[in-house]
Amino acid sequence: MTDRTNFFDKLLAAVENNQSLLYLALDPDPETLPALVSMTGEETQTFVTDLLSKLKSAIDETADLICACKITLGFYQSLGIPGWALLQEILTIIPPHLPVILDAKHCDLNTSTVFAKIVFQDWRVDAITLSPYPGFDQVAPFLLYAGKTVFVLCATANSSAADLQEYPTPNNPFYLQLVRLSQTWGTPEKVGLEVGVMPDMLARIRKEAPERLILVEGDIPVEKDLTEENDLAQLLAAGLSKNGEDLLLPVPPSLLAGKEPRREIENLRDNINQQRLRAIEGSPTCELWLPDVCFLQPEPHRDLILQLYDIGCVVFGDHVQASGAVFPYYIDLRKIISIPQIFHQIVSAYADILKNLKFDRIAGIPYGSLPTATGLALRMERPMIFPRKEVKTYGAGKLIEGHFQAGETIVVVDDILISGKSVMEGAAKLKSAGLNVEDIVVLIDHEQGVKDKMQVNGYRAHSVLALSEIAEILYRANRIDTEQFNLLTAEH
């Protein structure tokens, strides 16, 4: 079975690449199902075979329009042995770049440890929904798996659920107590929330949990008339985080059953993106970026490059570099930490390189790469250290900050590779403390043979982007003219 690694990494990549917050529920509409209880074994098997074909078609139709797939465990359980076989088959046909959420709403404390192993190790799904009524002890076994995410069911749209959810009073309801408590169980990347289609309740939950990922379950309104359009806008305004993200919405079954499902789902996705832009107009310090150009061929880091340019990370004019050289442009990456959408993408891009390297700890080079190194340490759950830019003349006078053991292997993270001087100086400080440094990872490589120079000095250099790649994308997107393209690609 395909290995599925970090849920958040895959989700952010899918959201960026497909520009979508929609997920595909791989379960048929219960109202369209035959009377399963009255079916013979042969009829059940025929039904399962036909259903697999329909679900595969839905995946093929929407794979580039969605950011995740969700499977409701209870439905497959209801089909007995053929249903279990169907579930396993579906897990093999979901594209590996799309994260899989198992909607289990598991609530049995006694089987949590075993079930967590089955779901995350054997089935290798990326996330699961849990009913948290037994408390943290119920959730804890699922939090032990690195890179996996738990969605806590905190509110449903079922009318009779209000008797419990709004107890003891509507002003201080149980579901908000649950939202507050669940945030103490894990980081935003480990614990999210599952909520029904209820804009008013969703708005209160978002206020209590501004940074949590919210999985919306139910049938969202489709924009076919003015009233429904307003309903969708209300739902998005209530559930989106301040940067226009952190909300997963289901593809409505009615669109999948329509005559032109792909066109209608694409229209819904585009309408949602328009509403996302409107919803965050009141948050000027945290803008949402969406692409405004179309390329015929896919480019893995196209949107990231365009975003870096659009927020002012590439500026022209003579600038003195740290090495003393004067370049007719300047790459300024200090802004990325203030824009979560871009910072998430950059950390994920670094993580894609680091996951293939062997190391014990991550080291950031002061000061530019320290936020990125910190983000990577949190994302990959690996310890971090850093060499001081200058040794303190007071206190302990440490050269290296953080806990480490001599003999450990360190991967060094920096922002830009121009001459290699500063990063090699930082690596030398680490080596002087008895640490091994073999790999250095940067966001941007200015090229001009610097990686070869690093190799001569005993380091393997890796980069997310090359300056020539940045120049090519910006030129093709009409962000820069021919003169500026030549400035970026000229040898210095």
Side-chain angles (χ1 to χ4, degrees):
M1 191 175 296
T2 302
D3 185 21
R4 302 181 183 277
T5 53
N6 187 296
F7 170 75
F8 246 80
D9 287 347
K10 293 173 66 175
L11 178 67
L12 290 170
V15 169
E16 176 191 357
N17 293 336
N18 295 345
Q19 289 298 313
S20 178
L21 299 181
L22 293 170
Y23 68 82
L24 177 65
L26 294 174
D27 320 301
D29 184 347
E31 296 182 359
T32 67
L33 294 178
L36 298 178
V37 293
S38 63
M39 293 170 59
T40 66
E42 183 177 344
E43 289 172 336
T44 300
Q45 186 58 58
T46 300
F47 168 75
V48 166
T49 301
D50 292 342
L51 180 56
L52 176 62
S53 176
K54 292 178 181 177
L55 293 177
K56 185 179 186 304
S57 176
I59 293 172
D60 294 340
E61 193 84 24
T62 63
D64 61 340
L65 300 175
I66 59 175
C67 63
C69 291
K70 183 173 77 71
I71 299 174
T72 300
L73 181 62
F75 169 76
Y76 296 88
Q77 287 176 318
S78 69
L79 295 176
I81 294 177
W84 286 110
L86 174 61
L87 174 60
Q88 297 301 314
E89 187 70 24
I90 288 175
L91 289 174
T92 66
I93 65 175
I94 296 174
H97 69 279
L98 290 175
V100 176
I101 304 168
L102 184 69
D103 196 359
K105 297 183 177 65
H106 186 75
C107 61
D108 181 33
L109 181 62
N110 294 328
T111 59
S112 288
T113 298
V114 174
F115 191 54
K117 177 182 180 299
I118 291 173
V119 168
F120 290 147
Q121 284 193 358
D122 298 345
W123 297 354
R124 297 182 179 177
V125 301
D126 304 290
I128 189 171
T129 66
L130 300 176
S131 180
Y133 199 82
F136 177 71
D137 289 342
Q138 151 75 6
V139 179
F142 297 88
L143 300 178
L144 298 176
Y145 293 84
K148 307 300 183 181
T149 296
V150 165
F151 287 93
V152 172
L153 175 64
C154 60
T156 78
N158 181 28
S159 58
S160 65
D163 294 339
L164 291 174
Q165 290 174 171
E166 297 191 8
Y167 179 85
T169 68
N171 292 330
N172 187 29
F174 171 74
Y175 74 88
L176 286 186
Q177 296 287 356
L178 179 57
V179 169
R180 298 181 192 112
L181 181 61
S182 66
Q183 293 181 84
T184 69
W185 294 345
T187 65
E189 294 186 356
K190 293 293 290 183
V191 179
L193 304 170
E194 185 177 21
V195 183
V197 182
M198 303 165 291
D200 292 344
M201 192 174 287
L202 183 58
R204 297 185 70 182
I205 292 171
R206 173 55 74 196
K207 184 177 180 180
E208 290 288 341
E211 298 180 350
R212 296 286 158 161
L213 180 61
I214 296 179
L215 175 70
V216 173
E217 182 184 33
D219 196 359
I220 66 172
V222 179
E223 297 187 356
K224 291 183 179 179
D225 58 49
L226 183 60
T227 301
E228 290 182 341
E229 179 179 357
N230 288 339
D231 287 343
L232 180 60
Q234 184 182 14
L235 184 70
L236 291 169
L240 289 170
S241 60
K242 64 181 182 180
N243 55 322
E245 298 179 323
D246 301 315
L247 190 69
L248 302 181
L249 301 163
V251 173
S254 60
L255 297 189
L256 286 171
K259 294 182 179 180
E260 298 181 274
R262 178 174 175 81
R263 183 181 64 81
E264 292 190 22
I265 294 170
E266 188 172 8
N267 287 341
L268 175 61
R269 180 200 63 177
D270 294 343
N271 288 337
I272 289 172
N273 284 336
Q274 291 176 9
Q275 298 286 359
R276 291 170 68 191
L277 288 169
R278 295 172 191 165
I280 62 169
E281 286 178 352
S283 180
T285 61
C286 196
E287 297 178 353
L288 172 69
W289 185 94
L290 294 171
D292 60 355
V293 293
C294 177
F295 287 81
L296 297 179
Q297 298 298 324
E299 301 283 353
H301 298 299
R302 177 199 64 203
D303 287 351
L304 176 58
I305 292 171
L306 294 179
Q307 289 176 83
L308 290 174
Y309 180 82
D310 289 348
I311 67 172
C313 291
V314 181
V315 294
F316 290 91
D318 290 343
H319 290 83
V320 179
Q321 309 297 313
S323 63
V326 178
F327 286 2
Y329 58 85
Y330 181 57
I331 309 294
D332 181 5
L333 299 177
R334 291 171 294 183
K335 297 181 179 181
I336 63 175
I337 61 174
S338 298
I339 307 177
Q341 181 192 20
I342 299 178
F343 188 60
H344 270 304
Q345 294 175 43
I346 288 174
V347 170
S348 296
Y350 273 97
D352 285 341
I353 296 175
L354 264 66
K355 69 184 180 183
N356 297 316
L357 305 178
K358 294 182 178 180
F359 60 93
D360 299 302
R361 300 177 192 274
I362 298 170
I365 300 299
Y367 294 104
S369 68
L370 289 184
T372 302
T374 303
L376 281 167
L378 292 170
R379 173 72 59 83
M380 305 186 76
E381 299 182 346
R382 304 294 286 272
M384 172 190 161
I385 60 175
F386 67 90
R388 292 190 61 84
K389 196 175 185 70
E390 59 284 315
V391 179
K392 292 190 297 183
T393 58
Y394 54 90
K398 291 182 178 180
L399 180 65
I400 312 295
E401 295 291 355
H403 177 73
F404 61 90
Q405 298 290 334
E408 290 181 325
T409 298
I410 309 299
V411 61
V412 173
V413 171
D414 203 1
D415 48 8
I416 303 176
L417 194 62
I418 299 179
S419 67
K421 180 175 179 290
S422 62
V423 72
M424 284 194 290
E425 287 177 349
K429 292 178 182 178
L430 296 168
K431 293 171 73 172
S432 71
L435 297 167
N436 300 319
V437 179
E438 299 174 352
D439 295 289
I440 293 174
V441 184
V442 301
L443 179 64
I444 299 175
D445 172 25
H446 274 238
E447 300 170 289
Q448 312 305 330
V450 180
K451 284 187 176 180
D452 293 335
K453 177 183 176 182
M454 305 285 286
Q455 186 73 42
V456 171
N457 284 273
Y459 303 109
R460 291 187 294 265
H462 315 264
S463 61
V464 175
L465 304 170
L467 189 60
S468 58
E469 177 188 5
I470 294 173
E472 180 68 25
I473 292 294
L474 295 180
Y475 184 67
R476 289 167 55 196
N478 295 318
R479 292 295 202 276
I480 60 174
D481 57 27
T482 302
E483 180 182 358
Q484 292 170 324
F485 173 80
N486 292 332
L487 291 175
L488 288 176
T489 55
E491 295 187 6
H492 300 288

